[in-house]
Amino acid sequence: MLRNPSAERNRGPILDVLKREFTAAGSCVRVLEIASGTGQHVVHFAREFPHIEFQPTEISENLLQSIGAFAQHSGMRNIHPPVPVDITRPCESWSHDLFSGTLRSKSIDYIININMIHITPIEATEGLFRNSSRLLRAGGLLVTYGPYGENGVIEPESNVNFDRMLRSQDPRWGIKDLVALQKLANNFRIALVRQYAMPSNNRCVIWQKVD
């Protein structure tokens, strides 16, 4: 079980947002987590929402193993086994093991994506919006978390420095601008509906599938 200190710190504040946003009722409420990281988040969230099915995903084998270890150690029965997903590829090409082989178009209530957008090329975010549009039911929510700029401005100085560091590692990385992301999301009938200020100059952004 790999442990990420930032995941330990932010899982509580993110859960507080999810408690406000996860209002869907029924016998089969589903959450797809894209880029689940170590697995610390999905276990924490699944424990608080025992009536919801959670499907974690990742792209790297070592993280998939960590997610599996966390899920098994938790004993939670509402966490499906982690599945490899490349978000830049169409969801039709993903593994048939998602949600135990029952994943269908417009069958997901919520999608979660934590701390991915700023450490990936824009193609990953485009894939996130495109696939969310295919998978979310009408009115379903996409929840993203991380640092964002707005109208070409990144604040405060600590985020400016963070952005500079990310771009030094890979010029395709960096803090993305929310205004630009809204335009991109609108191409896939995804609209920004709410956002929450979070600790360490992050935001939780709530997007909704428009139909």
Side-chain angles (χ1 to χ4, degrees):
M1 291 186 289
L2 304 175
R3 294 186 182 275
N4 186 323
S6 68
E8 291 291 331
R9 291 192 300 268
N10 64 37
R11 65 181 189 173
I14 296 173
L15 177 61
D16 290 340
V17 172
L18 300 186
K19 286 179 177 178
R20 299 178 65 174
E21 297 291 340
F22 283 10
T23 58
S27 59
C28 186
V29 178
R30 291 176 160 186
V31 174
L32 173 65
E33 185 179 27
I34 298 296
S36 299
T38 59
Q40 291 160 270
H41 285 127
V42 70
V43 167
H44 188 65
F45 302 155
R47 187 175 290 115
E48 294 293 326
F49 298 102
H51 64 292
I52 292 179
E53 293 183 37
F54 285 81
Q55 175 63 71
T57 69
E58 254 301 339
I59 195 168
S60 67
E61 182 59 33
N62 65 322
L63 290 175
L64 287 166
Q65 291 179 5
S66 180
I67 297 164
F70 267 106
Q72 183 174 14
H73 184 262
S74 75
M76 301 298 298
R77 296 186 177 182
N78 58 329
I79 304 175
H80 288 264
V83 173
V85 161
D86 180 349
I87 193 60
T88 65
R89 298 187 57 77
C91 55
E92 292 83 0
S93 70
W94 297 354
S95 169
H96 295 297
D97 294 331
L98 287 153
F99 286 106
S100 301
T102 62
L103 180 67
R104 299 289 184 273
S105 176
K106 300 181 180 180
S107 68
I108 303 299
D109 299 282
Y110 305 105
I111 295 176
I112 304 175
N113 182 243
I114 298 170
N115 279 338
M116 182 200 80
I117 291 175
H118 58 285
I119 57 171
T120 52
I122 192 62
E123 288 79 9
T125 305
E126 181 177 353
L128 178 65
F129 288 138
R130 179 189 297 109
N131 287 307
S132 293
S133 183
R134 289 297 302 266
L135 294 172
L136 284 172
R137 61 171 174 78
L141 301 181
L142 165 65
V143 180
T144 65
Y145 171 91
Y148 297 91
E150 194 157 9
N151 288 313
V153 177
I154 296 175
E155 294 178 328
E157 188 65 23
S158 59
N159 274 1
V160 174
N161 294 333
F162 184 43
D163 178 68
R164 186 179 299 119
M165 182 272 290
L166 290 172
R167 293 180 189 278
S168 71
Q169 295 185 48
D170 189 324
R172 301 174 301 166
W173 294 5
I175 295 176
K176 307 299 192 295
D177 190 277
L178 264 183
V179 175
L181 292 184
Q182 286 183 72
K183 293 178 181 178
L184 178 61
N186 288 343
N187 293 332
F188 302 104
R189 302 189 63 76
I190 301 286
L192 193 160
V193 291
R194 285 177 294 282
Q195 55 181 303
Y196 300 83
M198 304 293 281
S200 303
N201 304 306
N202 290 301
R203 302 188 206 184
C204 224
V205 183
I206 312 300
W207 311 81
Q208 188 167 44
K209 169 66 182 301
V210 179
D211 211 311

PDB file of all heavy atoms in Angstrom, residues 125-127 129-134 183-191 209-210:
ATOM      1  N   THR A 125      -7.171  15.999 -20.125  1.00  0.00           N
ATOM      2  CA  THR A 125      -8.376  16.709 -19.694  1.00  0.00           C
ATOM      3  C   THR A 125      -9.449  16.641 -20.767  1.00  0.00           C
ATOM      4  O   THR A 125     -10.637  16.456 -20.472  1.00  0.00           O
ATOM      5  CB  THR A 125      -8.053  18.174 -19.362  1.00  0.00           C
ATOM      6  OG1 THR A 125      -6.998  18.209 -18.386  1.00  0.00           O
ATOM      7  CG2 THR A 125      -9.262  18.886 -18.807  1.00  0.00           C
ATOM      8  N   GLU A 126      -9.045  16.764 -22.010  1.00  0.00           N
ATOM      9  CA  GLU A 126     -10.006  16.632 -23.111  1.00  0.00           C
ATOM     10  C   GLU A 126     -10.636  15.246 -23.090  1.00  0.00           C
ATOM     11  O   GLU A 126     -11.853  15.093 -23.262  1.00  0.00           O
ATOM     12  CB  GLU A 126      -9.317  16.879 -24.446  1.00  0.00           C
ATOM     13  CG  GLU A 126     -10.255  16.790 -25.634  1.00  0.00           C
ATOM     14  CD  GLU A 126      -9.579  17.108 -26.951  1.00  0.00           C
ATOM     15  OE1 GLU A 126      -8.409  17.525 -26.946  1.00  0.00           O
ATOM     16  OE2 GLU A 126     -10.228  16.945 -27.996  1.00  0.00           O
ATOM     17  N   GLY A 127      -9.817  14.228 -22.849  1.00  0.00           N
ATOM     18  CA  GLY A 127     -10.350  12.868 -22.750  1.00  0.00           C
ATOM     19  C   GLY A 127     -11.281  12.704 -21.566  1.00  0.00           C
ATOM     20  O   GLY A 127     -12.280  11.971 -21.639  1.00  0.00           O
ATOM     21  N   PHE A 129     -13.255  15.038 -20.266  1.00  0.00           N
ATOM     22  CA  PHE A 129     -14.549  15.636 -20.616  1.00  0.00           C
ATOM     23  C   PHE A 129     -15.290  14.788 -21.654  1.00  0.00           C
ATOM     24  O   PHE A 129     -16.500  14.566 -21.556  1.00  0.00           O
ATOM     25  CB  PHE A 129     -14.358  17.057 -21.140  1.00  0.00           C
ATOM     26  CG  PHE A 129     -13.978  18.055 -20.086  1.00  0.00           C
ATOM     27  CD1 PHE A 129     -12.996  19.012 -20.329  1.00  0.00           C
ATOM     28  CD2 PHE A 129     -14.588  18.061 -18.842  1.00  0.00           C
ATOM     29  CE1 PHE A 129     -12.642  19.942 -19.362  1.00  0.00           C
ATOM     30  CE2 PHE A 129     -14.250  18.989 -17.864  1.00  0.00           C
ATOM     31  CZ  PHE A 129     -13.272  19.938 -18.131  1.00  0.00           C
ATOM     32  N   ARG A 130     -14.568  14.323 -22.658  1.00  0.00           N
ATOM     33  CA  ARG A 130     -15.198  13.539 -23.715  1.00  0.00           C
ATOM     34  C   ARG A 130     -15.822  12.261 -23.157  1.00  0.00           C
ATOM     35  O   ARG A 130     -16.987  11.946 -23.439  1.00  0.00           O
ATOM     36  CB  ARG A 130     -14.185  13.178 -24.796  1.00  0.00           C
ATOM     37  CG  ARG A 130     -14.786  12.329 -25.930  1.00  0.00           C
ATOM     38  CD  ARG A 130     -13.748  11.800 -26.887  1.00  0.00           C
ATOM     39  NE  ARG A 130     -13.065  12.883 -27.579  1.00  0.00           N
ATOM     40  CZ  ARG A 130     -11.797  13.238 -27.346  1.00  0.00           C
ATOM     41  NH1 ARG A 130     -11.085  12.586 -26.433  1.00  0.00           N
ATOM     42  NH2 ARG A 130     -11.250  14.224 -28.008  1.00  0.00           N
ATOM     43  N   ASN A 131     -15.047  11.538 -22.352  1.00  0.00           N
ATOM     44  CA  ASN A 131     -15.546  10.282 -21.814  1.00  0.00           C
ATOM     45  C   ASN A 131     -16.604  10.498 -20.735  1.00  0.00           C
ATOM     46  O   ASN A 131     -17.539   9.692 -20.614  1.00  0.00           O
ATOM     47  CB  ASN A 131     -14.384   9.446 -21.280  1.00  0.00           C
ATOM     48  CG  ASN A 131     -13.545   8.862 -22.401  1.00  0.00           C
ATOM     49  OD1 ASN A 131     -14.062   8.209 -23.294  1.00  0.00           O
ATOM     50  ND2 ASN A 131     -12.242   9.114 -22.370  1.00  0.00           N
ATOM     51  N   SER A 132     -16.480  11.578 -19.976  1.00  0.00           N
ATOM     52  CA  SER A 132     -17.519  11.892 -18.990  1.00  0.00           C
ATOM     53  C   SER A 132     -18.843  12.149 -19.690  1.00  0.00           C
ATOM     54  O   SER A 132     -19.908  11.734 -19.216  1.00  0.00           O
ATOM     55  CB  SER A 132     -17.114  13.119 -18.159  1.00  0.00           C
ATOM     56  OG  SER A 132     -15.988  12.840 -17.349  1.00  0.00           O
ATOM     57  N   SER A 133     -18.791  12.823 -20.836  1.00  0.00           N
ATOM     58  CA  SER A 133     -20.008  13.102 -21.588  1.00  0.00           C
ATOM     59  C   SER A 133     -20.671  11.814 -22.056  1.00  0.00           C
ATOM     60  O   SER A 133     -21.910  11.712 -22.081  1.00  0.00           O
ATOM     61  CB  SER A 133     -19.686  13.989 -22.789  1.00  0.00           C
ATOM     62  OG  SER A 133     -20.850  14.327 -23.499  1.00  0.00           O
ATOM     63  N   ARG A 134     -19.866  10.816 -22.418  1.00  0.00           N
ATOM     64  CA  ARG A 134     -20.408   9.537 -22.873  1.00  0.00           C
ATOM     65  C   ARG A 134     -20.970   8.714 -21.719  1.00  0.00           C
ATOM     66  O   ARG A 134     -21.976   8.010 -21.877  1.00  0.00           O
ATOM     67  CB  ARG A 134     -19.324   8.714 -23.588  1.00  0.00           C
ATOM     68  CG  ARG A 134     -18.925   9.243 -24.937  1.00  0.00           C
ATOM     69  CD  ARG A 134     -20.099   9.214 -25.912  1.00  0.00           C
ATOM     70  NE  ARG A 134     -20.653   7.869 -26.082  1.00  0.00           N
ATOM     71  CZ  ARG A 134     -20.304   7.036 -27.043  1.00  0.00           C
ATOM     72  NH1 ARG A 134     -19.422   7.408 -27.944  1.00  0.00           N
ATOM     73  NH2 ARG A 134     -20.850   5.839 -27.127  1.00  0.00           N
ATOM     74  N   LYS A 183     -14.615  26.308 -21.798  1.00  0.00           N
ATOM     75  CA  LYS A 183     -14.836  26.286 -23.246  1.00  0.00           C
ATOM     76  C   LYS A 183     -14.633  24.877 -23.794  1.00  0.00           C
ATOM     77  O   LYS A 183     -15.399  24.412 -24.652  1.00  0.00           O
ATOM     78  CB  LYS A 183     -13.893  27.264 -23.931  1.00  0.00           C
ATOM     79  CG  LYS A 183     -14.186  28.717 -23.609  1.00  0.00           C
ATOM     80  CD  LYS A 183     -13.181  29.647 -24.278  1.00  0.00           C
ATOM     81  CE  LYS A 183     -13.475  31.100 -23.938  1.00  0.00           C
ATOM     82  NZ  LYS A 183     -12.470  32.029 -24.546  1.00  0.00           N
ATOM     83  N   LEU A 184     -13.603  24.207 -23.295  1.00  0.00           N
ATOM     84  CA  LEU A 184     -13.342  22.835 -23.723  1.00  0.00           C
ATOM     85  C   LEU A 184     -14.482  21.920 -23.300  1.00  0.00           C
ATOM     86  O   LEU A 184     -14.981  21.106 -24.096  1.00  0.00           O
ATOM     87  CB  LEU A 184     -12.017  22.351 -23.129  1.00  0.00           C
ATOM     88  CG  LEU A 184     -11.595  20.908 -23.435  1.00  0.00           C
ATOM     89  CD1 LEU A 184     -11.427  20.697 -24.933  1.00  0.00           C
ATOM     90  CD2 LEU A 184     -10.303  20.571 -22.690  1.00  0.00           C
ATOM     91  N   ALA A 185     -14.918  22.036 -22.056  1.00  0.00           N
ATOM     92  CA  ALA A 185     -15.988  21.186 -21.542  1.00  0.00           C
ATOM     93  C   ALA A 185     -17.296  21.393 -22.294  1.00  0.00           C
ATOM     94  O   ALA A 185     -18.044  20.436 -22.544  1.00  0.00           O
ATOM     95  CB  ALA A 185     -16.190  21.457 -20.050  1.00  0.00           C
ATOM     96  N   ASN A 186     -17.575  22.638 -22.661  1.00  0.00           N
ATOM     97  CA  ASN A 186     -18.820  22.933 -23.366  1.00  0.00           C
ATOM     98  C   ASN A 186     -18.917  22.190 -24.694  1.00  0.00           C
ATOM     99  O   ASN A 186     -20.020  21.889 -25.168  1.00  0.00           O
ATOM    100  CB  ASN A 186     -18.947  24.439 -23.610  1.00  0.00           C
ATOM    101  CG  ASN A 186     -19.256  25.216 -22.343  1.00  0.00           C
ATOM    102  OD1 ASN A 186     -19.691  24.642 -21.344  1.00  0.00           O
ATOM    103  ND2 ASN A 186     -19.010  26.517 -22.360  1.00  0.00           N
ATOM    104  N   ASN A 187     -17.757  21.882 -25.290  1.00  0.00           N
ATOM    105  CA  ASN A 187     -17.769  21.118 -26.540  1.00  0.00           C
ATOM    106  C   ASN A 187     -18.367  19.730 -26.355  1.00  0.00           C
ATOM    107  O   ASN A 187     -18.804  19.101 -27.327  1.00  0.00           O
ATOM    108  CB  ASN A 187     -16.341  20.981 -27.088  1.00  0.00           C
ATOM    109  CG  ASN A 187     -15.754  22.303 -27.538  1.00  0.00           C
ATOM    110  OD1 ASN A 187     -16.485  23.211 -27.927  1.00  0.00           O
ATOM    111  ND2 ASN A 187     -14.434  22.425 -27.490  1.00  0.00           N
ATOM    112  N   PHE A 188     -18.346  19.259 -25.116  1.00  0.00           N
ATOM    113  CA  PHE A 188     -18.835  17.905 -24.817  1.00  0.00           C
ATOM    114  C   PHE A 188     -20.087  17.935 -23.940  1.00  0.00           C
ATOM    115  O   PHE A 188     -20.398  16.948 -23.275  1.00  0.00           O
ATOM    116  CB  PHE A 188     -17.713  17.105 -24.145  1.00  0.00           C
ATOM    117  CG  PHE A 188     -16.468  17.001 -24.983  1.00  0.00           C
ATOM    118  CD1 PHE A 188     -15.349  17.784 -24.686  1.00  0.00           C
ATOM    119  CD2 PHE A 188     -16.417  16.174 -26.088  1.00  0.00           C
ATOM    120  CE1 PHE A 188     -14.200  17.711 -25.464  1.00  0.00           C
ATOM    121  CE2 PHE A 188     -15.281  16.094 -26.872  1.00  0.00           C
ATOM    122  CZ  PHE A 188     -14.167  16.865 -26.562  1.00  0.00           C
ATOM    123  N   ARG A 189     -20.793  19.068 -23.942  1.00  0.00           N
ATOM    124  CA  ARG A 189     -22.019  19.220 -23.165  1.00  0.00           C
ATOM    125  C   ARG A 189     -21.780  18.994 -21.684  1.00  0.00           C
ATOM    126  O   ARG A 189     -22.577  18.341 -20.981  1.00  0.00           O
ATOM    127  CB  ARG A 189     -23.137  18.309 -23.702  1.00  0.00           C
ATOM    128  CG  ARG A 189     -23.467  18.563 -25.164  1.00  0.00           C
ATOM    129  CD  ARG A 189     -24.701  17.838 -25.630  1.00  0.00           C
ATOM    130  NE  ARG A 189     -25.907  18.259 -24.935  1.00  0.00           N
ATOM    131  CZ  ARG A 189     -26.558  19.403 -25.169  1.00  0.00           C
ATOM    132  NH1 ARG A 189     -26.106  20.245 -26.083  1.00  0.00           N
ATOM    133  NH2 ARG A 189     -27.659  19.691 -24.493  1.00  0.00           N
ATOM    134  N   ILE A 190     -20.665  19.534 -21.207  1.00  0.00           N
ATOM    135  CA  ILE A 190     -20.316  19.523 -19.792  1.00  0.00           C
ATOM    136  C   ILE A 190     -20.217  20.975 -19.338  1.00  0.00           C
ATOM    137  O   ILE A 190     -19.484  21.766 -19.947  1.00  0.00           O
ATOM    138  CB  ILE A 190     -18.982  18.811 -19.530  1.00  0.00           C
ATOM    139  CG1 ILE A 190     -19.016  17.354 -20.016  1.00  0.00           C
ATOM    140  CG2 ILE A 190     -18.593  18.890 -18.058  1.00  0.00           C
ATOM    141  CD1 ILE A 190     -19.808  16.417 -19.158  1.00  0.00           C
ATOM    142  N   ALA A 191     -20.950  21.336 -18.285  1.00  0.00           N
ATOM    143  CA  ALA A 191     -20.984  22.728 -17.833  1.00  0.00           C
ATOM    144  C   ALA A 191     -20.458  22.845 -16.406  1.00  0.00           C
ATOM    145  O   ALA A 191     -20.734  21.988 -15.544  1.00  0.00           O
ATOM    146  CB  ALA A 191     -22.413  23.265 -17.880  1.00  0.00           C
ATOM    147  N   LYS A 209     -23.228  17.119 -16.554  1.00  0.00           N
ATOM    148  CA  LYS A 209     -23.591  16.695 -17.901  1.00  0.00           C
ATOM    149  C   LYS A 209     -24.922  17.341 -18.290  1.00  0.00           C
ATOM    150  O   LYS A 209     -25.931  17.153 -17.617  1.00  0.00           O
ATOM    151  CB  LYS A 209     -23.701  15.168 -17.975  1.00  0.00           C
ATOM    152  CG  LYS A 209     -24.321  14.623 -19.240  1.00  0.00           C
ATOM    153  CD  LYS A 209     -23.466  14.875 -20.474  1.00  0.00           C
ATOM    154  CE  LYS A 209     -24.143  14.366 -21.726  1.00  0.00           C
ATOM    155  NZ  LYS A 209     -24.436  12.916 -21.694  1.00  0.00           N
ATOM    156  N   VAL A 210     -24.909  18.101 -19.366  1.00  0.00           N
ATOM    157  CA  VAL A 210     -26.113  18.770 -19.851  1.00  0.00           C
ATOM    158  C   VAL A 210     -26.718  17.918 -20.948  1.00  0.00           C
ATOM    159  O   VAL A 210     -26.012  17.461 -21.855  1.00  0.00           O
ATOM    160  CB  VAL A 210     -25.780  20.171 -20.373  1.00  0.00           C
ATOM    161  CG1 VAL A 210     -27.049  20.856 -20.892  1.00  0.00           C
ATOM    162  CG2 VAL A 210     -25.122  21.015 -19.293  1.00  0.00           C
TER     163      VAL A 210
END
